Amino acid sequence: MRAITALDLDPGPCLAVRALCARSSSGAVERTWSPRSSTSSLEKKSVGRAPSIDSAIMSVKHAKPNFSQSRVAEMVKRLFGLTASEIGSLPSYDDQNFFIDPIEGDKYVLKIMNSEDSKNRALIEVQTHAMSVLHQNGLPAQTALPNISGQLISLEEIDCGYGSQKYLVRLLTYLPGTTISKVPLTPQLLYETGKMAATMDTILQEMVHPDLAVLERENFIWSLSNLSLLEPYIHLFDGDPLEKVVKSVLYQYKTSVIPKRCNFRKCINHGDFNDLNVLVQPDERDGHRISGILDFGDMNSGYYIHELAITIMYMMTEHPKPIEVGGPVLAGWESFLPLNEAEKDCLYVLVLSRFCQSIVLARYSVSLHPENAEYLMITSKKGVHILSQLWELGKEQVEKLWFQTAAQFSEKGKPSHISKCNSKAPCTKQVYI
């Protein structure tokens, strides 16, 4: 097993570190932007050839930008011709995000990438293009505003206190709403979440861009294709009973998922369709509709079934009865993209695999930041409990509940009290939904 290195940095912070940043500040950002960095390489690494993950983190610890609000105002005026009447700082683990309210109208989020991720312009360009493609096809994704030179991405060079460094800058459209983590996860909303995830990946798979190859992130530790990359960190459980569960899931993945992977349908995954990256707004029936999709930093070439497993896993963490989440999400997904037999057979293990990724990397975060151990472990306890419950119930019982519930949705059709996304979504084109 190769060690993790700064040469192979990939976007996206570890779950526990993201939670540490997000949960303490979510109220300040729920109207505008995900509290998690959209491309963050300082905590989530891929496997490479150098000494250790710790040295990789140390090598980029000064990569986060530190722009003052006065400099941001000057930059917004110079690059975009806008005069900011209000500038507000938004949380981000590795980057800098600012809420911008210009006198010219509309609202925006200015995103200044950290200097490490700014070295991978091609990846940022593909992510930006993906957001635009989704928006053009009627999905509520942010888009980048061109600068006065007509470019969607600007490069700024500045000394933020650590020597002159280069930072990629984008001005993104404002999406109103609150994170789905803040509202009741009704069966109707879960159904729409599953349908939205399937729709999103289907559109992304049809996307055309000259640099799509950058999404082939073979050593990306958060890809569900790379579960074996967790093995060097299992020792962190140090005798915890959960270690047996995690090892068992990894074994099931190797013996039951990998042999069937040749039958999975390939696609481009958003990769992080979670409770803090989905925005919602009240609808006209006292429920909620999806109003925003955030954070494309984990995009990778994967499989449709991976996105469904990720979506179910994260929605479970916000539901009072987690086991009941899978059915409605699965029904919504299959209303747009029915699973094949291999995908159905692997869904349970893939959901557990995503829990393992999150929990193992949370343990690793604690080893890096022991001063935050109490908070980090409180944050991860929910996932530990759900993983244990799913494992104890077993594949047969969980699948029976999920697929029977999904079938009930299908038999009666989409319930009339579930609002249609395309009749309420804040977009002009309605191609897929």
Side-chain angles (χ1 to χ4, degrees), residues 265-315:
R265 289 166 294 174
K266 293 183 178 181
C267 73
I268 294 174
N269 290 143
H270 173 280
D272 201 14
F273 202 64
N274 66 56
D275 50 307
L276 295 177
N277 287 336
V278 179
L279 299 180
V280 296
Q281 286 186 299
D283 62 19
E284 297 172 357
R285 300 176 184 272
D286 297 323
H288 291 86
R289 61 175 176 83
I290 295 175
S291 62
I293 303 170
L294 306 176
D295 196 344
F296 289 76
D298 283 4
M299 277 180 62
N300 65 94
S301 295
Y303 302 93
Y304 286 110
I305 189 63
H306 287 182
E307 197 79 80
L308 175 58
I310 290 167
T311 304
I312 291 175
M313 175 268 181
Y314 282 116
M315 295 305 122

Side-chain angles (χ1 to χ4, degrees), residues 55-325:
S55 62
I57 292 173
M58 290 300 292
S59 70
V60 294
K61 67 179 181 179
H62 297 314
K64 183 172 181 174
N66 185 26
F67 284 61
S68 65
Q69 290 197 5
S70 60
R71 186 176 290 275
V72 167
E74 180 276 328
M75 186 166 55
V76 169
K77 182 68 174 179
R78 172 169 48 84
L79 294 178
F80 304 99
L82 298 175
T83 303
S85 63
E86 179 185 348
I87 298 176
S89 180
L90 302 176
S92 176
Y93 192 80
D94 305 316
D95 308 323
Q96 260 192 305
N97 298 330
F98 292 92
F99 170 68
I100 307 294
D101 188 0
I103 61 175
E104 291 82 0
D106 293 327
K107 297 179 177 69
Y108 302 96
V109 173
L110 184 76
K111 185 158 192 68
I112 307 172
M113 307 298 301
N114 68 77
S115 60
E116 281 298 311
D117 286 339
S118 293
K119 296 173 183 177
N120 196 349
R121 185 177 183 122
L123 181 60
I124 307 304
E125 287 179 346
V126 171
Q127 293 169 6
T128 305
H129 179 67
M131 294 156 62
S132 177
V133 168
L134 292 176
H135 177 77
Q136 291 167 13
N137 282 280
L139 270 64
Q142 292 174 296
T143 57
L145 185 75
N147 60 26
I148 58 175
S149 300
Q151 302 297 311
L152 298 180
I153 302 175
S154 308
L155 183 64
E156 292 288 296
E157 186 168 357
I158 185 177
D159 186 348
C160 288
Y162 313 112
S164 181
Q165 298 191 71
K166 296 178 180 179
Y167 305 93
L168 294 179
V169 177
R170 290 174 294 172
L171 190 64
L172 305 176
T173 50
Y174 166 99
L175 292 179
T178 186
T179 58
I180 200 170
S181 65
K182 299 293 184 181
V183 304
L185 290 179
T186 62
Q188 295 83 2
L189 184 55
L190 290 170
Y191 179 101
E192 295 296 349
T193 302
K195 184 177 179 181
M196 182 67 75
T199 306
M200 173 182 63
D201 275 19
T202 302
I203 296 172
L204 290 177
Q205 179 60 13
E206 297 178 1
M207 181 174 66
V208 177
H209 191 279
D211 292 320
L212 284 181
V214 300
L215 299 179
E216 298 286 346
R217 301 161 70 175
E218 63 179 30
N219 292 318
F220 187 34
I221 201 168
W222 282 89
S223 168
L224 274 173
S225 294
N226 296 329
L227 203 67
S228 62
L229 298 184
L230 298 181
E231 291 176 354
Y233 309 106
I234 300 299
H235 71 277
L236 294 169
F237 287 97
D238 192 26
D240 187 310
L242 189 64
E243 180 178 350
K244 182 179 179 180
V245 175
V246 173
K247 285 183 175 179
S248 296
V249 173
L250 266 62
Y251 176 78
Q252 289 296 320
Y253 177 89
K254 289 179 180 179
T255 58
S256 65
V257 174
I258 292 179
K260 292 184 173 67
R261 199 155 59 191
C262 60
N263 295 311
F264 293 173
R265 289 166 294 174
K266 293 183 178 181
C267 73
I268 294 174
N269 290 143
H270 173 280
D272 201 14
F273 202 64
N274 66 56
D275 50 307
L276 295 177
N277 287 336
V278 179
L279 299 180
V280 296
Q281 286 186 299
D283 62 19
E284 297 172 357
R285 300 176 184 272
D286 297 323
H288 291 86
R289 61 175 176 83
I290 295 175
S291 62
I293 303 170
L294 306 176
D295 196 344
F296 289 76
D298 283 4
M299 277 180 62
N300 65 94
S301 295
Y303 302 93
Y304 286 110
I305 189 63
H306 287 182
E307 197 79 80
L308 175 58
I310 290 167
T311 304
I312 291 175
M313 175 268 181
Y314 282 116
M315 295 305 122
M316 291 180 80
T317 65
E318 295 294 344
H319 199 279
K321 297 181 179 179
I323 191 66
E324 297 181 2
V325 165

Side-chain angles (χ1 to χ4, degrees), residues 403-423:
F403 285 100
Q404 284 186 351
T405 303
Q408 291 170 4
F409 273 86
S410 300
E411 288 169 4
K412 60 185 178 182
K414 181 180 175 182
S416 60
H417 55 287
I418 298 180
S419 61
K420 294 183 179 180
C421 284
N422 64 352
S423 65

